[in-house]
Amino acid sequence: MKEINDRVKMIKEYCLNKRNAEEACPFGDVPICYKLNGKIFAQIYPYTEDFKITVKCTADMGEFYRMTYPGQVVRGYHCPPVQQPYWNTIYLKDFPEEELWNMIDQAYDTVLHSFSKKEQYRLQETKIN
């Protein structure tokens, strides 16, 4: 349990260190969501028996990670089928930490690049929180 709490804390800190990222719980206590400008890029499910995170991705990168880590990275389990290619759920037990950070970075960048160029510039140049 302590190990999961420590990892949750590390993941939270990593997500919140992204420029203008904020934490929210729009669906209740779980999942704990991380947003950029109102759009979710990561969602943590800190359950001892089912410890996972769901991250935003492009369809190509999502497929790449699902093929690279079969069974450990799956389509976003909580999403409707039309959105599933754009979300990956990662079961975090024994998942490589460096790869997790890469996937969170990509999730943040995917959301950032969904905004207009003007908004991207504003988000990157100004600390809003």
Side-chain angles (χ1 to χ4, degrees):
M1 178 73 167
K2 182 180 178 344
E3 179 184 327
I4 289 177
N5 288 338
D6 290 345
R7 287 194 74 198
V8 167
K9 184 178 177 187
M10 286 174 43
I11 293 167
K12 285 181 170 190
E13 288 174 2
Y14 192 83
C15 289
L16 287 172
N17 279 328
K18 299 287 183 195
R19 189 168 198 79
N20 292 314
E22 56 188 11
E23 185 177 275
C25 293
F27 310 111
D29 292 341
V30 175
I32 303 163
C33 298
Y34 294 89
K35 296 180 172 188
L36 172 63
N37 207 28
K39 289 190 176 185
I40 296 171
F41 65 89
Q43 302 174 55
I44 301 173
Y45 299 82
Y47 300 122
T48 305
E49 67 284 351
D50 192 25
F51 184 37
K52 62 189 171 216
I53 185 171
T54 299
V55 294
K56 185 79 170 159
C57 57
T58 63
D60 290 342
M61 288 309 294
E63 185 62 29
F64 168 79
Y65 281 112
R66 290 189 290 274
M67 289 173 41
T68 304
Y69 298 98
Q72 218 170 355
V73 176
V74 299
R75 284 179 174 224
Y77 85 96
H78 68 291
C79 302
V82 72
Q83 292 179 355
Q84 286 181 356
Y86 304 100
W87 291 93
N88 272 345
T89 297
I90 307 155
Y91 293 94
L92 294 168
K93 185 175 191 246
D94 300 322
F95 193 77
E97 194 169 284
E98 193 61 37
E99 199 69 81
L100 174 61
W101 304 145
N102 289 334
M103 293 174 80
I104 291 171
D105 291 345
Q106 289 172 10
Y108 176 88
D109 289 344
T110 298
V111 169
L112 175 64
H113 290 101
S114 71
F115 298 110
S116 69
K117 295 285 185 198
K118 182 179 178 181
E119 188 66 5
Q120 289 177 43
Y121 178 78
R122 184 185 74 81
L123 289 167
Q124 290 302 290
E125 294 302 313
T126 309
K127 183 75 170 159
I128 297 172
N129 306 6

